[in-house]
Amino acid sequence: ILIILGAISLSLRLYFFPENLPLVGDASGYFWYANDISILGYFPEGHSSAFVGSTPPNNAWPGFLSLFFSLSDSNNFLDYVNIQRLLTITISTITIVPLYFLSKKFMSGSFAIISATAFTFAPRLIENSILGLTEPLFLLLGVTSLCLFLSDKKYLVILSFGIVALFSMVRYEGLLILIPFSIIFFLRFQKNKKTILKYFLAIGIFLLIILPMVAIRMDTTGQDGLTSHIIHGPTYYASMMEDNKNENMLLEFSKKGISYLFKYLAFVTVPMFIIFIPYGIFELLKNRDFKKWTVILVGLVFLIPAFYAYSRGFQDTRYLFILYPIMCLMVGYTIKRFSEKTRKPNLLFYFCLVAIISVSISFSSFTINDFDEEKEMYEISKDIHKLAETINDKYSGSMYLKWSGSTIVNVFPILHSDLDDKNIKKVKNVGIRDKNFEDIETYLVHGKSLGLTHLVLDGNNMGTEIFQEVFFNEDRYPFLEKIYDSSELGMKKHVKIFEINYQKLKIILE
């Protein structure tokens, strides 16, 4: 049953797979770092480009990814993008295995399968798995370390600290799991010399694995990527309070952190977990043994980095994904309780599997981005490269302009540092963020001083009213010559490109 569920889960992810669509955000940074590692054969020092502002602090994921890049001999960068996405999809799918064995430590096999099903079909994890980010590997290692730590075999408990090292190398907050592991280790085993020696052996394995990566990070970035980032939190709070002495910044941070934490905790429980959490919490708190205490402490510890991120205004559900394994246990506990009240437990078991999969498919179809539109935006970005020199900001497809230049398309693999400036379309910021313009004319006068040559409008442009006015009433503006309209090419994404005739604009203004 587990194999069948895994196959269905993988098929669902592949159904939503955005083939041949460039990466955006953090995923593009990991892509270029992995690309450089695969070409050079080592972790390069410094890493900044039009794609990447700085070297990713967590370089275990791009390092792992580079191994797969080095196996490809393709000259098409999109093939490498597909490899990155396929890898995260695969990792996310196989996490069902350690999650099942983790659940079996708390409940019988059938309910463990339900818990594992709730995890692998969680809509937000499905969506995240196709983005090429770190979370799938982070969750796989986190669940595996927790499963091994709760084992009855002491050598597996010790080995779990080695997995924690890998876990921490993927995302630095993974280091926090050492706190509950260390506490439970001494509470679980008798406090004697043997226990202390075994603990130091476990920590020795942890250090043996993680220190080489720490050394690499110190050489390439000047920071260890672990304690440096954990210490950065209190330092940031202190500096903000120092800079804003007249305001109660600690109260502001607390308000923001708590409000966003509860907000996004609610988000991640919908639609799969919300009805299971009340009884699940009750079951976790009842008859607590070392296993339940471990899960409780791990959950509480990982609320700390989530609170820190939310207190700084970062709004993303990804900070709470590490809580999904615990929520899945709550699902299993609740279904187990229902099963004890019914005369047909087998029927309930299959009904739950079908219900979880059906809800997942329905919710995922509703929430996952329309990648067809994203692909059209990428195709449009290629046309923008051909037609325009300098364009306005506030264009929703600007992230794909970085991937549309001739260098990436024609000369790949290539180091990020070898990309010439012409490859990246420069999106000029002509002051919309800093100034309020009453009309498009005054905007263009300001834009001319910054070298603005074209307007790229999509009907919204992130709520910019003067752009919307031009888009829907283009005939009113004779100084704007429309040279491109994506609707004429049969695309659903409607984008227009206007070339600015400053001579006509000058005549009209005079």
Side-chain angles (χ1 to χ4, degrees):
I1 291 175
L2 201 67
I3 292 172
I4 293 171
L5 291 170
I8 296 173
S9 172
L10 179 61
S11 300
L12 183 59
R13 284 165 166 78
L14 291 175
Y15 173 78
F16 291 111
F17 181 72
E19 186 179 6
N20 294 331
L21 179 68
L23 300 158
V24 296
D26 292 343
S28 62
Y30 294 123
F31 172 89
W32 283 105
Y33 200 40
N35 169 75
D36 284 9
I37 296 171
S38 68
I39 293 174
L40 297 172
Y42 57 85
F43 290 90
E45 293 185 18
H47 202 269
S48 61
S49 69
F51 288 89
V52 191
S54 61
T55 304
N58 307 297
N59 51 9
W61 167 234
F64 179 68
L65 181 60
S66 69
L67 300 176
F68 293 85
F69 281 5
S70 63
L71 297 176
S72 175
D73 59 356
S74 173
N75 294 322
N76 184 350
F77 80 92
L78 288 173
D79 289 338
Y80 295 83
V81 168
N82 292 335
I83 289 173
Q84 183 167 339
R85 293 188 194 272
L86 286 171
L87 195 56
T88 50
I89 283 175
T90 304
I91 292 171
S92 181
T93 303
I94 65 176
T95 306
I96 191 176
V97 177
L99 199 286
Y100 167 74
F101 285 107
L102 173 64
S103 301
K104 276 195 69 176
K105 298 183 182 303
F106 296 86
M107 59 198 70
S108 63
S110 58
F111 303 113
I113 286 178
I114 291 175
S115 294
T117 304
F119 181 87
T120 197
F121 284 96
R124 286 184 175 81
L125 295 187
I126 292 174
E127 181 178 11
N128 177 265
S129 70
I130 61 181
L131 301 179
L133 293 165
T134 60
E135 283 73 28
L137 184 58
F138 186 63
L139 287 170
L140 173 62
L141 294 171
V143 173
T144 302
S145 65
L146 192 56
C147 184
L148 293 177
F149 183 77
L150 297 180
S151 173
D152 294 329
K153 299 178 180 179
K154 291 184 179 180
Y155 76 90
L156 291 180
V157 176
I158 294 173
L159 181 61
S160 69
F161 283 77
I163 305 300
V164 167
L166 300 175
F167 182 53
S168 306
M169 286 156 55
V170 175
R171 293 183 65 89
Y172 71 88
E173 60 263 37
L175 192 66
L176 295 175
I177 205 172
L178 281 177
I179 298 173
F181 275 23
S182 298
I183 293 172
I184 299 299
F185 188 91
F186 286 104
L187 291 177
R188 179 181 177 184
F189 303 110
Q190 294 181 353
K191 296 180 181 178
N192 51 43
K193 289 183 179 180
K194 275 190 174 182
T195 300
I196 295 174
L197 287 174
K198 288 176 182 177
Y199 178 75
F200 279 111
L201 175 61
I203 293 297
I205 292 174
F206 170 83
L207 294 174
L208 189 64
I209 294 174
I210 205 169
L211 285 181
M213 184 60 79
V214 168
I216 290 172
R217 289 175 177 173
M218 291 296 293
D219 289 340
T220 57
T221 69
Q223 298 179 326
D224 60 27
L226 295 167
T227 58
S228 58
H229 285 68
I230 292 176
I231 293 171
H232 178 71
T235 303
Y236 174 80
Y237 286 143
S239 64
M240 289 300 293
M241 287 187 284
E242 181 68 24
D243 294 339
N244 300 273
K245 292 181 178 179
N246 296 329
E247 302 178 30
N248 192 338
M249 292 303 298
L250 187 59
L251 179 61
E252 288 300 315
F253 281 130
S254 299
K255 284 182 179 179
K256 191 181 293 184
I258 293 172
S259 62
Y260 284 158
L261 182 61
F262 279 100
K263 173 184 175 180
Y264 286 102
L265 272 173
F267 280 177
V268 297
T269 61
V270 178
M272 195 82 72
F273 303 101
I274 190 166
I275 62 175
F276 301 103
I277 285 179
Y279 181 78
I281 292 176
F282 168 77
E283 189 65 38
L284 271 178
L285 296 176
K286 185 179 71 173
N287 300 324
R288 294 182 299 278
D289 56 10
F290 81 90
K291 295 178 182 179
K292 288 185 177 180
W293 271 119
T294 301
V295 168
I296 293 169
L297 289 177
V298 167
L300 292 175
V301 162
F302 279 106
L303 288 177
I304 297 173
F307 173 83
Y308 169 67
Y310 293 138
S311 70
R312 294 188 60 180
F314 301 140
Q315 301 188 52
D316 200 321
T317 56
R318 288 190 293 160
Y319 303 115
L320 298 171
F321 284 174
I322 192 62
L323 301 181
Y324 269 129
I326 302 174
M327 294 181 190
C328 291
L329 292 178
M330 296 179 183
V331 174
Y333 276 133
T334 306
I335 300 303
K336 179 183 177 183
R337 181 61 175 170
F338 287 155
S339 179
E340 293 169 352
K341 299 293 184 179
T342 183
R343 295 179 180 178
K344 297 181 178 180
N346 289 337
L347 182 62
L348 177 64
F349 171 75
Y350 288 107
F351 172 78
C352 289
L353 294 185
V354 173
I356 289 171
I357 295 172
S358 299
V359 169
S360 173
I361 293 174
S362 301
F363 195 81
S364 298
S365 300
F366 179 75
T367 58
I368 292 181
N369 288 338
D370 182 0
F371 288 113
D372 288 336
E373 182 175 298
E374 297 287 316
K375 289 181 179 180
E376 286 188 351
M377 290 170 66
Y378 172 52
E379 293 301 319
I380 291 169
S381 70
K382 296 178 183 178
D383 294 329
I384 294 173
H385 262 278
K386 297 175 184 176
L387 298 172
E389 290 297 325
T390 308
I391 69 172
N392 54 286
D393 64 350
K394 298 286 184 147
Y395 167 54
S396 60
S398 59
M399 63 279 196
Y400 293 117
L401 292 170
K402 300 176 181 180
W403 296 94
S404 307
S406 59
T407 304
I408 293 179
V409 174
N410 299 324
V411 188
F412 195 88
I414 184 174
L415 293 173
H416 81 279
S417 57
D418 291 338
L419 295 172
D420 57 70
D421 290 339
K422 293 182 179 179
N423 180 69
I424 310 300
K425 181 63 63 176
K426 299 298 181 182
V427 182
K428 285 286 186 181
N429 181 345
V430 296
I432 283 293
R433 294 190 181 95
D434 305 314
K435 298 181 181 181
N436 294 319
F437 296 94
E438 296 181 357
D439 50 46
I440 194 66
E441 288 84 358
T442 54
Y443 173 87
L444 294 178
V445 169
H446 181 73
K448 183 181 180 181
S449 64
L450 297 174
L452 182 67
T453 60
H454 294 77
L455 293 180
V456 178
L457 310 181
D458 58 15
N460 183 278
N461 286 89
M462 302 181 186
T464 308
E465 293 182 3
I466 59 172
F467 289 164
Q468 295 170 12
E469 168 66 22
V470 173
F471 185 89
F472 292 107
N473 302 283
E474 59 187 76
D475 294 336
R476 298 178 184 177
Y477 306 96
F479 49 85
L480 296 175
E481 179 186 352
K482 185 171 72 174
I483 61 174
Y484 180 88
D485 191 324
S486 64
S487 65
E488 296 174 357
L489 302 176
M491 295 186 182
K492 295 181 181 179
K493 179 65 177 178
H494 197 181
V495 174
K496 300 176 183 179
I497 302 177
F498 295 89
E499 185 173 2
I500 306 166
N501 189 323
Y502 284 107
Q503 188 64 33
K504 286 186 178 181
L505 175 63
K506 182 179 179 182
I507 295 173
I508 290 174
L509 293 177
E510 290 176 350

